[in-house]
Amino acid sequence: MNFLTHLHLADISHTDLAANVAANYIHAPIGQAPIPLRQALWLNQEINSLCATHELTIELMAAFPARLRSIAADLMAVSFDHYLAFYWEEYHPQPLAEFSHKAYDALAHFASQGADPYHPEALLTLLPLMRQEDWLGSYANEKGLQKAFAHMAKQHQQPELFKDAYNVTQKMQIEIETAFRTFYPQLMAYTRIWSRKTPPEYLPHA
């Protein structure tokens, strides 16, 4: 999943917002992470694993044109952020603008601790721009979606693959939105369950 979905799932599961996002950039072992980060890092793995293996997401990724199959997971993740932002009031009681402000503050505090294996530089360099351009709020509109694809292309080894990403996702709007509306409530339920069944060694009090 992408930034907004991970932050939303972290919030509803009462786990660390910034660590849930940072986990996509962290390659160091969870068991050696600072204790306050461990549950969020573990939860991120569970979320990403389900997203990669669920029949609904597999079917959606297979529906992308063959030339884009290698980045289908990325296109799906950004598109899911778009639909989460677009239908935000159905999934969270707090207005998106307020939630975004809270998330940016959490990310800024995370970044203030400096770069290390559990505070990856690759993420920390993005955070000022993320807040300045309000990435989280902008996911709700098409211009923001286009910007998200552009930022993703800059970080990819084959940026040319994203040239038609926006047009393709627009043509697949029914398929993507249907998959999101069907899958995401299930993912929310799984996330709440995982937060209650986190292995003891990853809990903050462990």
Side-chain angles (χ1 to χ4, degrees):
M1 294 290 97
N2 205 46
F3 293 112
L4 184 58
T5 47
H6 272 301
L7 287 164
H8 175 250
L9 294 170
D11 195 58
I12 67 170
S13 62
H14 306 292
T15 54
D16 190 279
L17 271 70
N20 268 281
V21 170
N24 286 341
Y25 296 82
I26 292 172
H27 304 291
I30 296 177
Q32 297 177 24
I35 291 176
L37 305 182
R38 292 182 186 179
Q39 184 179 23
L41 299 181
W42 177 81
L43 185 62
N44 174 283
Q45 285 191 350
E46 298 302 306
I47 291 170
N48 287 344
S49 178
L50 182 64
C51 291
T53 59
H54 196 284
E55 59 183 356
L56 285 170
T57 53
I58 289 176
E59 181 179 338
L60 176 59
M61 288 186 285
F64 280 91
R67 70 182 187 280
L68 300 180
R69 206 66 54 75
S70 65
I71 60 169
D74 297 320
L75 302 184
M76 178 182 70
V78 174
S79 296
F80 278 14
D81 265 14
H82 167 64
Y83 287 112
L84 176 58
F86 190 80
Y87 293 111
W88 179 261
E89 67 278 2
E90 298 182 30
Y91 297 98
H92 200 285
Q94 188 176 25
L96 179 56
E98 291 182 13
F99 176 82
S100 298
H101 182 77
K102 178 175 72 174
Y104 293 139
D105 283 349
L107 290 165
H109 175 72
F110 182 85
S112 71
Q113 299 173 55
D116 61 42
Y118 296 98
H119 298 79
E121 185 69 30
L123 172 64
L124 303 192
T125 56
L126 289 179
L127 299 185
L129 185 62
M130 184 187 300
R131 185 168 210 157
Q132 179 183 340
E133 297 184 354
D134 187 22
W135 287 11
L136 303 179
S138 70
Y139 284 128
N141 59 64
E142 294 184 359
K143 185 177 180 180
L145 182 60
Q146 290 175 305
K147 279 189 174 182
F149 287 135
H151 285 301
M152 189 167 280
K154 290 178 182 179
Q155 300 177 57
H156 200 273
Q157 293 181 342
Q158 295 179 280
E160 67 278 1
L161 290 174
F162 290 84
K163 181 180 179 180
D164 297 324
Y166 177 75
N167 292 332
V168 169
T169 56
Q170 291 306 291
K171 291 178 181 177
M172 294 179 60
Q173 181 178 354
I174 293 177
E175 293 93 335
I176 297 173
E177 184 172 348
T178 299
F180 171 78
R181 301 284 272 177
T182 306
F183 172 68
Y184 198 69
Q186 296 181 42
L187 183 57
M188 290 172 63
Y190 272 109
T191 300
R192 290 187 174 104
I193 293 170
W194 286 325
S195 69
R196 298 195 304 268
K197 296 184 177 295
T198 305
E201 62 269 28
Y202 300 140
L203 291 173
H205 59 266

